[in-house]
Structures are given as structure tokens and as C-alpha cells.
Amino acid sequence: MCDQNGEFVFVLPGWEGSATDSRVLRNVVSRPYGLRVPKGFLASYREERYHLSDWRGVGNASTTAREFFNMKHSSARNVIERAFRLLNGRWAILRGKSFYPIQVQCRTITECFLIHNLITREMGIGAMLDVPDEENSASVGLDGDHIEFVESSKEWTKFRDDLAVEMFTRWQRA
């Protein structure tokens, strides 16, 4: 997990590359000292345009609140993808097959993340991530209220729908 500046805030090495995001997330939030995710985790809309490339070019602007929400969601997802590309580009040991024992691999991965964060913080590499500014990004969370398990709920689906409409309406006015 990384923040808007491309600094990693939670790392759990040791999962195989084929593990799905939802499987890892379910495991991480169920651990006694696992990731504390503020309530408000919102998934994108299915069967709507999602990838940023879908909106490139003249005449491809969002036409619905759901599309607009997905565009912003995709933009936030690009931050983590770019952070991983920077990390893998910087540390060759992360790119290839490793023959070290799994404990050594996990420590090495964690150390690469820590040094990546130090470089990002001290040298301003996060500015290269082309992160959306705070004014145009949505942040949701409740103080002291964290996700204990992952499941869909009608309340959060309605909240996401309302948020998408509000974001789209503001964007149209601008």
C-alpha cells in the first residue's frame, strides 16, 4: 500500500505473484497487527470505462458520474503502479528469480521498500508520479473506525454512488 506521494506505507512480502488483491487484502486486515484500513474503501464500478487511456483524446470525456468516479479511481491506482515501477526499476534484485531462503528474500524486499521511501522523501521523487492534487481527489474515512473484514455493503455502495454524482457535478461546473 502506498500514499499519494508514492511512499509505501504497508508492505507484506512473502505472497506469490499470482495472489489476487482481494485475497491479500482479506488476509492483511484479519491479522492482529495487520493493515488498519479506514472505513470507506470504495471499489470501482464494473462494466464502466475504467482505464485512463479510455478517456484520452477529444470527445472521450466522462459522460456519467460512474465514469467520472472510475476515472478518478483509476488515477489513484496509477500512483501505486508507478511507485512499483520506480521500485523495480531502482532495485535489480527485485526483478529476477531469487535463490535466497524466503526469510532473506522477505527482509531484502522490505529493505528495498524502506530505502525507496527514504529516496522518495529526501529527493522529491514523489513529484515525478504525476499525482492528482488534493483539491480534485476524494478521501474517505472515519476517525477510529477501521475495516475488520472485507465484504460489500449497501451503505457503502450508496455512498459511492452519491460521491460519484457529487464529484461529477463539481467537475461539470468547473
Side-chain angles (χ1 to χ4, degrees):
M1 182 173 162
C2 80
D3 66 14
Q4 296 158 330
N5 298 320
E7 289 185 37
F8 290 91
V9 295
F10 188 87
V11 176
L12 182 64
W15 281 85
E16 68 275 7
S18 62
T20 62
D21 290 346
S22 60
R23 181 175 164 215
V24 175
L25 180 62
R26 272 193 292 276
N27 177 274
V28 168
V29 298
S30 68
R31 291 170 177 254
Y33 297 103
L35 179 65
R36 301 284 293 167
V37 180
K39 283 198 175 182
F41 176 79
L42 300 174
S44 61
Y45 288 101
R46 293 177 184 221
E47 299 180 17
E48 296 285 342
R49 291 192 293 171
Y50 182 77
H51 300 284
L52 291 179
S53 60
D54 294 341
W55 286 282
R56 287 194 187 120
V58 178
N60 286 331
S62 303
T63 57
T64 67
R66 287 178 170 220
E67 281 185 353
F68 186 75
F69 181 87
N70 275 7
M71 180 181 65
K72 293 298 186 178
H73 192 279
S74 178
S75 180
R77 184 182 178 105
N78 278 354
V79 173
I80 187 81
E81 290 171 357
R82 287 179 182 153
F84 270 109
R85 280 196 302 272
L86 278 173
L87 183 83
N88 286 322
R90 181 174 285 139
W91 307 111
I93 195 166
L94 299 177
R95 286 181 245 139
K97 200 174 221 179
S98 179
F99 298 99
Y100 294 103
I102 190 72
Q103 286 182 323
V104 172
Q105 290 181 47
C106 290
R107 282 195 302 263
T108 303
I109 290 167
T110 302
E111 290 161 0
C112 289
F113 277 88
L114 290 169
I115 297 170
H116 164 88
N117 282 355
L118 178 67
I119 293 169
T120 299
R121 190 173 306 124
E122 296 299 318
M123 299 181 74
I125 304 232
M128 294 171 38
L129 293 176
D130 197 25
V131 181
D133 61 5
E134 288 181 24
E135 182 178 288
N136 293 324
S137 61
S139 159
V140 181
L142 302 173
D143 292 336
D145 217 356
H146 293 83
I147 293 175
E148 303 288 328
F149 54 90
V150 178
E151 69 177 25
S152 60
S153 73
K154 290 179 183 174
E155 293 87 18
W156 282 107
T157 299
K158 182 180 177 342
F159 178 79
R160 178 190 61 184
D161 293 345
D162 294 345
L163 179 63
V165 169
E166 181 181 336
M167 289 168 57
F168 184 68
T169 303
R170 285 183 184 178
W171 174 73
Q172 283 183 321
R173 285 186 206 142

